[in-house]
Amino acid sequence: MPLVSSLMPSAARPVNVLEYERLAEEALEAGALGYFAGGACDERTLRENVAAFGRLRLRPRMLVDVSKVSAATTVLGSAVSMPLLVAPTAIQKMCHPGGEAATARAAAALGTVMTLSTIATATPAEVAEAAPGGTRWFQLYCFEDDGVTRALVEQAVEHDYSAIVLTVDAPRAGRRERDLRTGFQVPAEITIPSVAAALGQPATLTIAEVFAMLDLTLTWRDLERIRGLSDLPLLVKGVMTEEDARLACEAGVDGIVVSNHGGRQLDGVAATIEALPEVVDAVEGRVEVFVDGGIRRGTDVVKALALGARAAMVGRPVLWGLATAGEDGVRHVLELLRDELELALLLCGCPTPADVTSAHVSANSGGS
Ligand SMILES: Cc1cc2nc3c(=O)[nH]c(=O)nc-3n(C[C@H](O)[C@H](O)[C@H](O)COP(=O)(O)O)c2cc1C
């Protein structure tokens, strides 16, 4: 029985992402919760991702005509209802039996992009079939066996995914101490069918087995080859420095996602919203820049836009909706964020995302 249903009276439904997080904590068993919620080592970066948004202040402008406000925009040339997209997160069937198909349907209902993880519990084909009208991106990990990487990209192309998002910050999984404490193991019934299919095996791979097959030799020089695997636009996800932003542009990528993997990889790196400006400066408008990590409010999205992001992405908020109420929960989380975002745009005097400028945000040195 889902904790929340769209049939519930609205007063009984959560009113924000934080409340969904609390409900998800009740819905998930300890090992799964630690996996979804946790970060690396001391979780400094995990906390900072959220805290850094609290140190930014909005600078709203008054007496602007806000009789018509719309969050609609485009990303890589595709129309979306809002500059907030769904980030790739692994093994969603451990969160809720509906898994990635439920997330895809919810994202499509909201008119935004769903990014499917390589480490998904549904194939690119199943997710495409679940939400045929939706815009989907495919998140790619590169495997030592080039044939596997190639087969994954082929699955994405065949099923009308419209971009490849190459994650570059996870050649190995970070040290997730919550998982060590709970002794977390992915349950045997949770399998990664797309990788298994790419390997020509039955669907019985664990996450650890998948990570053990990733290509640790990958460098910027390989991007041309990866770009050549399909005609789809290529984004790199996990860039945190101006140096790498420049290399990404030189390698001909179509977009950059400023991300620290939700604080799950290298603890001690900056909050993503703090890394965003240096990446935006280095890119000099050559490609679209996205950011994820710690976005929990519509106002956070406005801050990301003000600092130069084309759009923001959310990982855990979607998982909290999914764990609480499956597809309905994800849809409601995305609706809440969209409504908050539209109101924030209105109150900032920005009728559209394109009206948000760097003058709409300032740093508050006095803490959060
Ligand atoms: C449980 C979990 C699994 C994730 N799995 C992947 C993945 O398979 N591939 C990937 O590129 N990023 C993965 N990420 C990182 C997200 O794409 C995203 O960068 C991060 O969740 C953003 O931070 P947020 O959770 O604070 O929104 C995962 C994140 C979480 C929380």
Side-chain angles (χ1 to χ4, degrees), residues 35-36 87-90 117 139 141 167 237 259 261-262 264 292-294 296 314-317 319:
Y35 173 76
F36 289 125
T89 53
S117 168
Q139 179 265 319
Y141 282 122
T167 296
K237 172 174 180 281
S259 175
H261 218 103
R264 296 164 72 78
D292 72 20
R296 303 292 180 262
V314 272
R316 293 184 185 81
L319 297 174

Side-chain angles (χ1 to χ4, degrees), residues 15-97:
V15 299
N16 59 39
V17 168
L18 191 70
E19 291 184 7
Y20 267 103
E21 183 173 356
R22 296 291 159 262
L23 289 171
E25 285 166 359
E26 289 170 31
L28 292 166
E29 60 87 23
L33 176 63
Y35 173 76
F36 289 125
C41 296
D42 298 308
E43 301 189 336
R44 290 197 169 111
T45 298
L46 176 71
R47 285 189 297 276
E48 265 298 288
N49 275 349
V50 172
F53 278 103
R55 292 193 292 269
L56 293 171
R57 296 290 177 256
L58 291 167
R59 298 185 68 251
R61 296 298 308 278
M62 305 303 151
L63 295 178
V64 176
D65 179 353
V66 285
S67 56
K68 290 194 191 73
V69 171
S70 166
T73 184
T74 62
V75 289
L76 304 178
S78 297
V80 283
S81 65
M82 59 177 164
L84 184 69
L85 322 176
V86 174
T89 53
I91 55 170
Q92 295 187 5
K93 279 189 189 159
M94 192 176 73
C95 207
H96 184 277

Side-chain angles (χ1 to χ4, degrees), residues 220 236 244-253 256 282-284 286-287:
W220 291 105
V236 280
D244 282 344
R246 273 188 218 102
L247 289 171
C249 289
E250 285 160 20
V253 304
I256 292 176
V283 163
E284 293 177 316
R286 284 175 282 180
V287 299

